Amino acid sequence: MKPLAGIRIADFTVHNAGPFCTHLLSQLGAEVVKIESAMRPDAFRKPHPVYGRMGPATFDQVASTKLSVRINLKKPEGVALAKRLVAVSDIAAESFRPGVIGRLGLGFEDLKAVKQDIIMLCVSSSGQSGPDRHFAGYAPLFGAWGGLGEMTGYADGPPVEMRHVMDHTVGMNSAVAVMAALQRRRITGAGGLVDVSAREVASSLLGEALLMAAAGEEPRRIGNAHLSHAPHGVYPAQGEDRWVSIAVTTDAEWQALAALIDEDGAFAGGLATDARFLKAADRNANRAALEPILSAWTATRPADDTSELLQGLGVAAHSSWTTPEIAADPHLRARGAICEVQEPDGKHRAAVGVPMRLSKGAEIGIHRGTPKLGEDEDYVYGELLGLGRDERTALEDAEVIY
């Protein structure tokens, strides 16, 4: 039995942040009914060149395991049908701009009228209250607006645009908040509104930088460097566009790395005894001299060989993997982080599983592929809502189920 078995979610979310939240909850066992229409399918159901891709892979990784029904929310009958679904659900989730869901007649107070203990999740750019609540936003704006972009990148370059990492982090925060609301309802019997601001999620990740700014200091971008550890970064490896990440956190680790470089004869004079690099503070102060030395050594070696050798010495290192390497990783597949699911057409396809594990008997993860639009209407409209064939046909003819 999955932990959230028996919990049902009416999912009105679109794009990525909200859908990733409900996707996580579905892998934990919740039954998620995704609501779309042929008139307004989720933007990620089709190629979306604005997001730098020409295929629907993004939809696959936030929609698998969900059920799909069509409801035209532009029609009053569609809103009424959506309320019937909410009435048999535990959670309603939406990610429109604040005010949109209310104008459709599906705001929190509207849904409480049909389900007194409903938990409603609202994911938006800046939250449901405050002077900026009306602002629209997408992942790059969340990171920029929340300050995360400003702290990401090199000191002599521009802020780095944050994309899917922002959406997914917002989705994870939302999933935690929803589960807290479920626990509160279990204890008190009361539902509630869960208001998640993507901009605030970004700011919450700044942590130390915000505290520094509050104390009058001005934190700056430092690229792949670290405030106290050195060397710490990504270095060129043998081959085209191959890289290895190395993080030295103690003087003992540095001595192990330096001795290896000296053994290879890559630095004349002895790196392990060079006074500029003996202590962490020295290495940080002389980072500009240290980085080219290390890069010259790593560039002569395959990334995987370097990482394996350094790991054996107790130094944190690994090659910077490409996505095909990650997808083929036997470790991730053994743990179910990369799994195979069956799509509606019968074909099997790799999928990204939930990044956590529970003890046996509480297996979690993806159990089915991405649903076709309206694929699950027989179950939802027939078994859950009890609509007869004539009623469904009439709603389809009126383009309410559409």
Side-chain angles (χ1 to χ4, degrees):
M1 178 178 176
K2 293 185 177 181
L4 296 183
I7 298 297
R8 182 174 297 121
I9 302 175
D11 186 2
F12 299 91
T13 63
V14 294
H15 293 132
N16 209 347
F20 189 68
C21 166
T22 52
H23 174 63
L24 286 177
L25 297 174
S26 74
Q27 292 189 71
L28 294 174
E31 182 179 78
V32 179
V33 182
K34 184 166 180 61
I35 298 159
E36 302 170 83
S37 71
M39 183 184 304
R40 292 181 66 87
D42 193 304
F44 280 171
R45 210 178 248 284
K46 55 186 182 296
H48 203 301
V50 171
Y51 282 82
R53 63 181 179 80
M54 293 306 295
T58 299
F59 188 70
D60 292 336
Q61 57 91 34
V62 296
S64 54
T65 303
K66 297 181 181 180
L67 309 178
S68 174
V69 299
R70 299 166 298 154
I71 302 179
N72 183 357
L73 297 177
K74 292 293 186 180
K75 291 182 175 288
E77 299 89 347
V79 173
L81 183 59
K83 287 181 177 179
R84 290 179 66 173
L85 179 57
V86 169
V88 296
S89 300
D90 301 279
I91 301 160
E94 65 93 13
S95 58
F96 299 110
R97 194 183 303 192
V100 170
I101 199 75
R103 289 194 293 273
L104 289 171
L106 295 168
F108 181 49
E109 295 300 325
D110 299 307
L111 299 188
K112 279 180 63 177
V114 298
K115 176 78 171 177
Q116 182 60 34
D117 64 348
I118 193 71
I119 293 169
M120 186 168 191
L121 168 67
C122 296
V123 179
S124 63
S125 174
S126 297
Q128 301 298 306
S129 61
D132 295 339
R133 63 186 291 273
H134 61 287
F135 283 178
Y138 291 92
L141 278 72
F142 303 154
W145 205 352
L148 196 61
E150 171 62 20
M151 294 306 301
T152 307
Y154 292 97
D156 59 351
V160 171
E161 179 185 280
M162 311 297 290
R163 287 198 177 210
H164 277 45
V165 66
M166 271 312 318
D167 279 329
H168 287 188
T169 306
V170 172
M172 287 187 283
N173 275 266
S174 300
V176 170
V178 165
M179 286 190 286
L182 281 170
Q183 172 66 0
R184 176 179 177 270
R185 191 182 72 173
R186 187 183 71 84
I187 296 171
T188 68
L193 178 66
V194 177
D195 178 3
V196 178
S197 161
R199 169 186 174 183
E200 292 167 18
V201 170
S203 292
S204 73
L205 298 176
L206 287 177
E208 182 181 13
L210 280 182
L211 294 177
M212 290 172 63
E217 301 179 58
E218 186 177 354
R220 298 181 182 277
R221 292 189 293 280
I222 57 175
N224 291 318
H226 191 277
L227 292 174
S228 59
H229 302 153
H232 186 284
V234 180
Y235 302 91
Q238 189 180 78
E240 184 179 354
D241 198 26
R242 298 298 290 175
W243 305 85
V244 60
S245 178
I246 301 173
V248 172
T249 61
T250 67
D251 292 338
E253 291 174 7
W254 165 249
Q255 285 299 313
L257 172 58
L260 183 60
I261 296 174
D262 286 343
E263 185 180 319
D264 285 350
F267 179 72
L271 191 59
T273 57
D274 194 312
R276 296 174 297 171
F277 311 129
L278 288 177
K279 299 295 182 182
D282 301 322
R283 294 192 295 278
N284 258 313
N286 295 290
R287 190 187 303 274
L290 175 59
E291 295 289 300
I293 296 171
L294 185 55
S295 294
W297 177 71
T298 59
T300 65
R301 308 173 56 87
D304 288 339
D305 291 354
T306 300
S307 62
E308 183 176 355
L309 188 57
L310 291 181
Q311 286 282 353
L313 296 174
V315 178
H318 203 277
S319 53
S320 183
W321 272 0
T322 62
T323 47
E325 287 174 311
I326 297 170
D329 180 30
H331 176 82
L332 293 181
R333 288 182 174 270
R335 285 179 53 81
I338 304 293
C339 57
E340 298 289 329
V341 297
Q342 185 171 331
E343 298 292 348
D345 59 8
K347 295 181 180 178
H348 285 78
R349 180 182 300 174
V352 180
V354 66
M356 60 195 79
R357 300 293 170 268
L358 301 180
S359 58
K360 290 184 178 180
E363 298 296 334
I364 56 178
I366 297 173
H367 65 267
R368 57 174 276 178
T370 303
K372 294 180 180 178
L373 182 63
E375 179 182 345
D376 303 287
E377 290 172 0
D378 283 347
Y379 165 69
V380 174
Y381 292 149
E383 293 186 38
L384 289 187
L385 301 188
L387 272 65
R389 171 50 58 188
D390 290 344
E391 187 177 3
R392 282 180 59 184
T393 300
L395 290 172
E396 289 171 356
D397 290 343
E399 296 187 347
V400 173
I401 298 176
Y402 177 72

